[in-house]
Amino acid sequence: MVSTADTMNDYDDKMVEAFVNKPESTAWYRYAFKQYSVNGIDKMSWVWSWWAFFGGIFYLLYRKAYMAALGLLALSIVSFAIPFGGLIVWILTGGLAPYFVYKTYQSKKAEIETNIADEQKRIQTMRAVGGYNNWAILLAVAFHTLIWIWVFFAFSTMMAMLSQQ
């Protein structure tokens, strides 16, 4: 017996496509989602995403995985107390964050399938509740701009203090 996780049917393909809502990214998410299911049983697996690696919390916010983003924020704050903790969290985020996007997809899919019988309406609803947040990109740009401004001023202040001695 071949599992639906190994060979997605047309309906599953359409649901993933509706959730991702970016044709250029759909194939990657199909691949990733297949890695997270073995014969219908979910498993956490390492699937690398450069967007998750560089985007971190903003990647999860972009993909509407809000609880995972909150958990990553807490983990990131705690990791600063550990030497190289931030780097470790950064690497783990690149390999594991897509799993939390998958869990978000699974949760939304189950809720939709429980409440809506018509397949076309399910796909339309997934497109409406899935997708991505453009504001997460703006938030990431603003955050990183502020960090770089802070670094510039801190460095400038340190150089000014050193030159006075």
Side-chain angles (χ1 to χ4, degrees):
M1 178 177 208
V2 178
S3 75
T4 57
D6 294 333
T7 58
M8 286 186 160
N9 62 36
D10 191 45
Y11 168 73
D12 290 329
D13 280 344
K14 288 178 182 176
M15 287 296 277
V16 171
E17 184 178 349
F19 175 77
V20 173
N21 207 9
K22 282 198 163 207
E24 65 274 13
S25 301
T26 301
W28 186 88
Y29 279 97
R30 280 189 189 122
Y31 163 78
F33 289 4
K34 286 178 186 177
Q35 304 307 305
Y36 300 132
S37 181
V38 176
N39 297 323
I41 305 299
D42 286 353
K43 71 173 181 97
M44 185 177 273
S45 172
W46 188 269
V47 177
W48 187 257
S49 168
W50 286 107
W51 290 113
F53 177 73
F54 287 114
I57 294 165
F58 302 108
Y59 166 78
L60 292 169
L61 291 173
Y62 179 75
R63 280 289 158 201
K64 298 183 178 181
Y66 303 118
M67 292 308 293
L70 185 62
L72 182 56
L73 175 64
L75 184 62
S76 295
I77 291 169
V78 170
S79 74
F80 286 116
I82 303 167
F84 300 104
L87 179 62
I88 293 166
V89 169
W90 204 14
I91 292 168
L92 289 174
T93 300
L96 298 175
Y99 175 76
F100 295 103
V101 174
Y102 167 75
K103 293 303 285 181
T104 300
Y105 164 74
Q106 287 293 89
S107 174
K108 288 179 181 185
K109 183 180 176 197
E111 184 178 359
I112 289 168
E113 289 176 343
T114 299
N115 294 309
I116 301 170
D118 181 56
E119 186 175 302
Q120 285 302 100
K121 286 187 180 184
R122 286 178 177 176
I123 294 167
Q124 290 172 344
T125 304
M126 180 60 86
R127 187 165 279 110
V129 300
Y132 51 90
N133 292 314
N134 279 326
W135 59 261
I137 295 171
L138 299 173
L139 184 63
V141 168
F143 175 79
H144 286 93
T145 300
L146 289 173
I147 293 295
W148 280 107
I149 290 170
W150 178 81
V151 167
F152 173 76
F153 282 116
F155 183 74
S156 298
T157 303
M158 183 179 70
M159 293 306 290
M161 290 172 62
L162 288 173
S163 68
Q164 290 176 355
Q165 291 181 0

